[in-house]
Amino acid sequence: MGIFVDEVYLFGEAAKLKLTKYELGGKGYGLVEMTSMGLPVPPGMVITTKMCNKFFEKKRLWASMRAKVAAKLRSVEKETGREFGNPDNPLLVSVRSGAPFSMPGMMDTVLNLGMNDRVAESLTTRKDMRFAYDTYRRFLQLFGSIVMDVERAKFESILNEEKFRKGAKTDAELNGDSMRSVAFKYKNLIKRETGRDAPQEPQEQLFMAIESIFKSWWNKRATEYRRLYNISDKLGTAVNIVAMVYGNYDPKSGTGVAFTRDPSTGEHRFYGEVLINAQGEDVVAGIRTPLHVDKLREVLPDAYSELVRTAKTLEKHFRDMQDIEFTIESGRFYMLQTRNAKRTPQAAVKVAVDMVREGLISKKEALLRIEPEQLEKLFHKQIDRRRGLTPFAKGLPASPGATYGKIVLTDAEAVSARERNEHVILVRPETTPEDISGIAASDGILTSRGGMTSHAAVVTRGMGKPCVVGAEGIAIDEKAMTVTAGTTKLRAGDVVTIDGSDGTVYIGEAPLIEPKLTGDVSTVLKWVDGYRRLGIRANADTPAMVKKAMENGAEGIGLARTERMFNSPERLDIVQKMILADTPQQRQRYLEMIKPMQKGDFKEMFKLAGGKPFTIRLLDLPLHEFLPKLDTILPEVTELRITKKGSTELKEKERVLSKVMQLREQNPMMGQRGVRLSLMYKEIYEMQVEAMVEAAIELLGKSKVSLEIMVSQVAIAAEFAAAKEIINATAERVFKKTGKRIEYKVGTMIETPRAALTAGELAKVAEFFSFGTNDLTQGTFAFSRDDIEAKLMPFYISNKILGENPFSSIDVEGVGKLVAMCSREGKKENRKLKVGVCGEHGGDPKSIEFFNTTAVDYVSMSPYRVPVARLAAARAAIEGEKRSTA
Amino acid sequence: MGIFVDEVYLFGEAAKLKLTKYELGGKGYGLVEMTSMGLPVPPGMVITTKMCNKFFEKKRLWASMRAKVAAKLRSVEKETGREFGNPDNPLLVSVRSGAPFSMPGMMDTVLNLGMNDRVAESLTTRKDMRFAYDTYRRFLQLFGSIVMDVERAKFESILNEEKFRKGAKTDAELNGDSMRSVAFKYKNLIKRETGRDAPQEPQEQLFMAIESIFKSWWNKRATEYRRLYNISDKLGTAVNIVAMVYGNYDPKSGTGVAFTRDPSTGEHRFYGEVLINAQGEDVVAGIRTPLHVDKLREVLPDAYSELVRTAKTLEKHFRDMQDIEFTIESGRFYMLQTRNAKRTPQAAVKVAVDMVREGLISKKEALLRIEPEQLEKLFHKQIDRRRGLTPFAKGLPASPGATYGKIVLTDAEAVSARERNEHVILVRPETTPEDISGIAASDGILTSRGGMTSHAAVVTRGMGKPCVVGAEGIAIDEKAMTVTAGTTKLRAGDVVTIDGSDGTVYIGEAPLIEPKLTGDVSTVLKWVDGYRRLGIRANADTPAMVKKAMENGAEGIGLARTERMFNSPERLDIVQKMILADTPQQRQRYLEMIKPMQKGDFKEMFKLAGGKPFTIRLLDLPLHEFLPKLDTILPEVTELRITKKGSTELKEKERVLSKVMQLREQNPMMGQRGVRLSLMYKEIYEMQVEAMVEAAIELLGKSKVSLEIMVSQVAIAAEFAAAKEIINATAERVFKKTGKRIEYKVGTMIETPRAALTAGELAKVAEFFSFGTNDLTQGTFAFSRDDIEAKLMPFYISNKILGENPFSSIDVEGVGKLVAMCSREGKKENRKLKVGVCGEHGGDPKSIEFFNTTAVDYVSMSPYRVPVARLAAARAAIEGEKRSTA
């Protein structure tokens, strides 16, 4: 883009300069390319995107640009043999916007520009009145509504009135007189509404239209769209001025849009619609029912075969499925637009695979054509159509997929509904480990509090179950059994649909699409592993999750959270007692009860992992999550103190309350967690290490185990070293007792900024690092996710303080800087150090792209995200390769 | 220290090699230096410190070392004309440890080594029985207790028994027979207690003593001491073997310790004690009352004048006040030890200033002689003697100085006690802004919860009032009006003394020393400003604090916390209502009420600062601190729901509760604070900026104002930019309204890791940075100070996971890395950027030393710490200069 870009180019000129989409806009680029390919494109010109910004500076069109447009217009006149503004041989043009990325809300198209009273009169004589005034009234309608801001509906109602008066069903049935009358009424309408006449002078029309297009760059909808898709405001739009060809010229004329393949399924068959004797906007307006494009074969066979030939040529040239617009004027075929077609996830996969088979693209290119997010959708149920659905609330998309069910407010109701085979959505303010049976029994979860790492979010992602959290707009009244959002009150038993992929909740049962896993998907997933540099592991806490991870192609388990293994009611009870223990002896006793359970879990999971690396994180107890909430127990005790003074019930509750008060922390996220707690109560680590080492030893000779033991919440190298000492001493005791040894590695999570900053020191003692990017993001920003994500984040994003949620996609400048620095420094100190990412970003395609540029060796994510991550990792590697060879 | 260090050196040999304290130990170094100066030191040798570690490897003495000791001993024999082990002309030696730093708990001294039965017999013949057996029993007592581990008291009781039997008051009154009998009883005691005889063979005695010294390196007390003072375990101790001279030889003999100046006041007069006809340990043991050293002038005038001459020589040589040991044998004077003397804070200042006046040292050297912590003590009341005090509890030293008073448990009691002119200590679980009147009325504060940045800690430091927080061992029962620690129960009205400098609480009234600010202190403070590179500002929230800051020499205000200005009951009420406001209009109304108060504060403070830079931090509301606590309001509401259903009282409380629940955060430290809150409620910033800008404008022509406006909790450059836009727009509105302008700067705190990591981006928009090192430490470690400091920190420090509390002294490896990186990157981007530190580390001498090595321009701290910081900054600069020219 370093070359000098002039203001205006004829299509033919631009083709020679090899200008890109960034200068020509998407539409212009397509027209220029097609012109250079020799396809039948009407002559025309592009005003480049750079002029858009210049216009915003100058606030008006400037002389040199006007002059150039006029000059190029003379070339178009020459080529068409017509003359702009000459009533006897008029050149009409279409004026269309064209930004580098297609953008809804931008001003679109003014057709038939150059029409005026005299041209219409003359055309009436030279062709016929109907064509003349149909063309004129089309111009007035588009110019009036788009450029002069007259409400579109007012034009429609004039036309409808005329049809009603004449008993015509479609405008095709209106004759020349009617069209003339409509055109005059349009002129009056414009005068009445704007106080001025629609300009008669074609040049004036043209420059007004150009200005209008530039101004529409700042349309509310366009601006919003750019914000949403992170498109720079600086790009600007181009303007295309193209000689008109008339789909409304006669019955051998027509206009159509088509896809070179089926955009819904990806099947290799022509797909599109044609309207005979019509202009472009009629297709969109849905005034007449269009024909399937195949019908054209019968109606206009020559045009049809040219269309088919052109489509093939285009696919070969652009090496992708195209979305095209064409017009046929008196049997002659013209191309008006081509672009890479939007497609469904299913189509994206099929088209990519087919095109490889057809020899059109390479496998690498095919992978770049499939967005990881598209692939993900194939693995979950999705809402089919949203039109007609009644939104109820909006929360955070905590676990993807859509589902529906009756509202239940308690775990017990969920369980009993499940027994009756009913679909249910469990709606809670937030969930705790105590709710695990309720979560298991439900089809989906909706909570009013909590962020993307709240209990509900983490557990459901693990289960692959849809979940929406932090829907702050809803109020749950358990006694009244209602859920209220704004003025809408739902009752337990009412049906809602939740979409965990975007966080919306709808009233009633929405139509869902089942996941579609075709052979093409497995083909794609076979390809990806050949290209990626990053290893892919999964976060799995249960045998079911390990199994799913292996099925989905994980190369190991990057994070097995032992505290999640306590998520069953009978275990939870023991864990609570362990926490409430008053003496180390008591605690030891409960630990002894937990140990066989953990050992059993480990054995089962080790077997399923079949010798692949298996990283177990030692207890990272968020103690408060395993105890009653203060705002539950405190009112209970207060009430008992008044109503049941001296009762044993009160005494027991008071004991729990005093423990809750004692363990309560001001900022639990930065409190006594992980290694901090475990160094003080080392019997917990000892129990866990015994359980995992014994499990591995009992499998010796039966199943290979590649054990990696991970310590959490480390901020100081000495902290990790102390933990490692406990681990090694415990393992040695087991070896001595059993007379058998196993190999294992000991490593640390990197989830505090200080751990990242002191990577060199840590790498001296740790055998692997694993970034806990959730907590690292929290610490680096000092953002408490639970407090910030639902309240502050939307405000920050809509005010452009943040480009996107740093908990969804890694913050490259801050957190990413730490990740890059730490992985580099760590490996400098310890060449054998393995570095992974096990935070949520491990499964996010954009983040994977970033990790691919660092010294990170592998990423680990929910088993359900594994396929997506494999694709994302491959794409990152291919993109990286492209950049480095560019 | 790169040179080869041999195992053993004679004093004369070592002097030529210029060995340092690190090889010779402190004691050895003194002896060697004195030998080289030609002072009368008995001949002897040093076993170097390196041998200590070698001994721990080999676990025993090795042949080459033994041989070298024996060889050097022959030189000593030659010089003294005596022979080790020869009963007819015996050489006796003292064996003394000597680490590079003096270390209590190390084995100290064995005198008269070489004594045995035959030597005693022979000495009886050649001198007299009393000298012979006094010397022998002294040897047995020291060797027996120190080397052979017999309880010291058992020797004492044998000697006391003999004195009792003979009716002697002191051992001087015992004759030769008694001494002989005591010596035999000592021998029997050793045999009985250890099962073996004290060795007769002098060589055996010697090597046993040497081993004993090495082993004592790992004594519990020595180890503990090293840990406490951060002395490396690797240093090791030297062993000094010195030919005995006999202070117990005859009445013209004696032994003494002296200081070359008064170690308590610093006055330039000889200070020390002498015992006639005695050996060294008699002075320490306090068996006889020693003479003041001046008395020696009368008793042994020649020795006295030699002592005075020697003292002068030593001060000139070592250029510091010395602490010496000497012995006189039959009128002949010997030096046995010299070292730089320990001294009180007052003495440190006086000696340093005097020595500059005497031309002995330079001003720079003088400053290096005064520890900043010593200077600080001169500014606060201190506990005079701790012996005899009954400790009650231990907490964190939140605000320095000692004070006493009656225990009060409520603000009201504190206020009414103050009206009766009583001294009171306010004891609370923790304090909130609501307690401000109680805090103001009290002499000191004691809390059972909270850390060094809790409300009580911050407020009292600002007031210069002693405070102990987080005394977790105490239980406060407000209803019973008791405070209990362990089994000790105190009642309201009982007197306690708190020491805010070390966190201890004593029962009863302890004797206190008033702060002593002499002219020498101002002299020192005049000097310091000439040497320091770092600017010194103060953190001040009230006019009184600004005044104190200026008095203490602050060069500006580095942090004025606007939220602290609400700390008076009538203001607090309005602030609470502002927070509880349901609509922006309501909030605006309360802000309007706050504005004139803030403006008044600002004007008054601006005037006091007299044009020096004045940094105001915009509201950093820790909202929860300004509202009732959940665990207070929740039981209240629960109770009212049962007892006063439907009452207006209940309704009002329920409203407050619902607001508390709504504003409650899981991790308020990482929640919606500072800029995050203020971007959403920009009317708060607007009110504050109006208040400060109007205040400055109203002072135009009367008082210069150098305003710096600071934004807190920034993590993202765009966040700061948005805040700056609000500030600038508001200021412009005031300028327009008043028709007058002022200059001001806008800057950001650096208190999130991400702000530090993205310094370059921030420096593009900020005019200054100010490190909030408290929060930065919290974020970097993910340590919630309130949760971690009292519970985990002591465990981590005693287990050497942390060298020291990173909230007291900056963590150089982690947080310091961020500070260094950020200040460097910031200035690289913006050459005019000013960088300060306004966290608590700004006033910590060790941290100041570190900041001096970075691109930080100034530090800011409590007004009371300003003098200390000025000294610390000067010392840091001088030390830095020394290092860079070394």
Side-chain angles (χ1 to χ4, degrees), chain A residues 349-388:
Chain A
V349 171
K350 178 152 180 56
V351 168
V353 171
D354 282 353
M355 285 192 166
V356 171
R357 290 200 185 117
E358 293 160 23
L360 217 50
I361 57 174
S362 70
K363 284 180 193 168
K364 283 185 191 179
E365 282 172 296
L367 296 180
L368 294 184
R369 297 276 169 82
I370 307 165
E371 294 293 332
E373 286 82 2
Q374 290 181 310
L375 188 69
E376 162 130 56
K377 291 205 171 127
L378 297 180
F379 285 83
H380 298 287
K381 277 192 195 171
Q382 297 293 322
I383 292 180
D384 190 15
R385 278 173 305 92
R386 286 171 202 260
R387 215 181 306 174

Side-chain angles (χ1 to χ4, degrees), chain A residues 676 719 754 757 781-782 796, chain B residues 676 719 781-782 796 811 817:
Chain A
R676 298 173 190 172
E719 218 174 17
R754 194 177 186 282
L757 286 165
F781 276 89
Y796 265 27
Chain B
R676 298 171 191 174
E719 218 173 18
F781 277 88
Y796 265 26
D811 156 48
K817 192 170 178 180

Side-chain angles (χ1 to χ4, degrees), chain A residues 579-824:
Chain A
I579 295 169
L580 288 171
D582 289 324
T583 65
Q585 290 73 30
Q586 269 185 27
R587 184 172 309 108
Q588 190 65 48
R589 199 152 59 85
Y590 292 114
L591 286 170
E592 293 296 340
M593 293 167 72
I594 297 169
K595 185 179 150 186
M597 301 175 187
Q598 289 231 309
K599 189 162 143 186
D601 289 349
F602 291 145
K603 270 175 87 167
E604 204 175 334
M605 292 195 288
F606 286 162
K607 274 190 251 172
L608 288 164
K612 288 182 180 162
F614 199 107
T615 315
I616 301 178
R617 181 174 74 186
L618 292 172
L619 208 60
D620 187 23
L621 265 192
L623 286 181
H624 62 288
E625 267 192 27
F626 283 86
L627 286 175
K629 298 250 167 293
L630 183 68
D631 36 331
T632 310
I633 184 89
L634 189 54
E636 282 175 12
V637 168
T638 311
E639 199 173 328
L640 288 174
R641 274 175 187 161
I642 297 169
T643 57
K644 292 193 181 173
K645 235 175 177 170
S647 68
T648 50
E649 189 187 352
L650 172 60
K651 249 184 215 154
E652 181 48 31
K653 291 259 181 198
E654 274 185 328
R655 200 178 84 87
V656 174
L657 174 62
S658 98
K659 204 75 191 184
V660 169
M661 291 295 285
Q662 184 199 323
L663 292 176
R664 189 160 68 119
E665 295 184 306
Q666 306 260 355
N667 301 285
M669 191 49 73
M670 310 198 289
Q672 214 165 324
R673 302 163 53 204
V675 70
R676 298 173 190 172
L677 200 76
S678 306
L679 289 180
M680 292 188 80
Y681 304 108
K682 63 177 186 166
E683 54 272 24
I684 300 177
Y685 271 10
E686 287 171 344
M687 177 280 283
Q688 292 201 298
V689 173
E690 278 174 24
M692 61 189 78
V693 173
E694 287 176 12
I697 282 180
E698 289 173 19
L699 289 176
L700 273 175
K702 286 172 221 150
S703 185
K704 250 196 95 190
V705 178
S706 172
L707 176 61
E708 303 186 343
I709 304 176
M710 184 155 77
V711 178
S712 67
Q713 200 61 12
V714 168
I716 311 163
E719 218 174 17
F720 173 75
K724 190 177 168 184
E725 235 176 81
I726 297 172
I727 294 165
N728 286 344
T730 308
E732 283 301 328
R733 272 200 306 279
V734 178
F735 296 160
K736 209 163 177 181
K737 201 177 66 187
T738 59
K740 289 173 186 158
R741 300 190 76 85
I742 54 152
E743 296 293 313
Y744 62 91
K745 290 194 168 71
V746 186
T748 179
M749 288 198 70
I750 304 284
E751 51 184 342
T752 67
R754 194 177 186 282
L757 286 165
T758 56
E761 286 306 301
L762 274 168
K764 284 182 191 157
V765 270
E767 290 166 285
F768 62 90
F769 285 176
S770 182
F771 287 100
T773 49
N774 302 340
D775 279 13
L776 192 59
T777 301
Q778 293 202 81
T780 304
F781 276 89
F783 269 178
S784 165
R785 190 168 184 180
D786 282 332
D787 300 313
I788 291 289
E789 199 163 34
K791 288 184 192 170
L792 186 70
M793 204 68 85
F795 176 82
Y796 265 27
I797 288 174
S798 67
N799 284 276
K800 297 202 183 181
I801 288 170
L802 281 171
E804 55 195 319
N805 182 344
F807 290 109
S808 306
S809 215
I810 193 124
D811 157 47
V812 172
E813 292 78 25
V815 181
K817 191 170 179 179
L818 281 178
V819 170
M821 218 163 83
C822 172
S823 51
R824 190 177 58 233

Side-chain angles (χ1 to χ4, degrees), chain B residues 810-875:
Chain B
I810 192 121
D811 156 48
V812 172
E813 292 78 26
V815 182
K817 192 170 178 180
L818 281 178
V819 170
M821 216 162 85
C822 172
S823 51
R824 192 176 57 233
E825 299 276 313
K827 288 191 168 179
K828 208 164 84 185
E829 179 62 43
N830 174 355
R831 268 190 328 110
K832 283 158 71 186
L833 189 80
K834 262 204 291 190
V835 179
V837 173
C838 68
E840 224 146 317
H841 299 90
D844 168 60
K846 270 199 220 165
S847 308
I848 288 174
E849 202 177 324
F850 169 74
F851 295 134
N852 189 60
T853 67
T854 69
V856 163
D857 296 309
Y858 70 85
V859 287
S860 186
M861 70 292 307
S862 149
Y864 296 90
R865 293 283 291 178
V866 166
V868 177
R870 285 163 64 199
L871 172 59
R875 286 166 52 97

Side-chain angles (χ1 to χ4, degrees), chain A residues 424-442:
Chain A
V424 290
I425 305 292
L426 178 62
V427 184
R428 307 274 305 157
E430 58 200 322
T431 66
T432 70
E434 292 188 339
D435 296 317
I436 194 70
S437 58
I439 297 173
S442 302

Side-chain angles (χ1 to χ4, degrees), chain B residues 278-402:
Chain B
Q279 277 196 351
E281 78 275 19
D282 296 345
V283 184
V284 184
I287 298 165
R288 285 187 272 159
T289 311
L291 305 175
H292 190 280
V293 74
D294 289 346
K295 283 281 171 195
L296 200 61
R297 193 201 310 248
E298 298 154 30
V299 187
L300 294 165
D302 289 354
Y304 180 74
S305 55
E306 189 152 8
L307 171 62
V308 170
R309 200 165 49 242
T310 303
K312 259 195 196 130
T313 313
L314 285 171
E315 272 208 349
K316 210 159 179 178
H317 180 81
F318 289 104
R319 307 168 76 235
D320 201 355
M321 163 182 170
Q322 296 296 297
D323 164 0
I324 62 176
E325 286 180 33
F326 58 90
T327 285
I328 302 157
E329 183 183 299
S330 270
R332 197 162 162 210
F333 179 82
Y334 292 96
M335 281 299 297
L336 297 186
Q337 176 166 329
T338 191
R339 60 181 174 189
N340 294 342
K342 293 229 160 83
R343 62 207 79 176
T344 63
Q346 200 193 346
V349 171
K350 180 157 178 56
V351 168
V353 172
D354 283 354
M355 283 192 166
V356 171
R357 289 199 186 115
E358 292 161 24
L360 216 52
I361 57 175
S362 69
K363 284 179 193 169
K364 284 186 189 178
E365 283 171 294
L367 296 181
L368 294 184
R369 296 279 167 80
I370 307 165
E371 294 291 333
E373 286 81 1
Q374 290 182 311
L375 189 69
E376 163 130 56
K377 290 206 170 127
L378 298 180
F379 286 83
H380 298 287
K381 277 191 193 173
Q382 297 293 322
I383 292 179
D384 191 14
R385 280 173 303 92
R386 286 173 200 257
R387 212 179 310 175
L389 297 183
T390 314
F392 175 63
K394 180 96 184 166
L396 299 168
S399 177

Side-chain angles (χ1 to χ4, degrees), chain A residues 39-58:
Chain A
L39 291 176
V41 176
M45 71 187 86
V46 191
I47 303 175
T48 56
T49 56
K50 307 294 155 203
M51 296 310 109
C52 193
N53 288 317
K54 201 160 167 186
F55 173 77
F56 297 133
E57 266 167 45
K58 299 192 181 272

Side-chain angles (χ1 to χ4, degrees), chain A residues 212-227:
Chain A
S212 230
I213 287 180
F214 284 156
K215 282 180 188 158
S216 72
W217 179 254
W218 292 112
N219 263 353
K220 200 173 160 227
R221 231 180 112 203
T223 310
E224 182 71 6
Y225 187 89
R226 288 199 296 275
R227 197 191 59 64

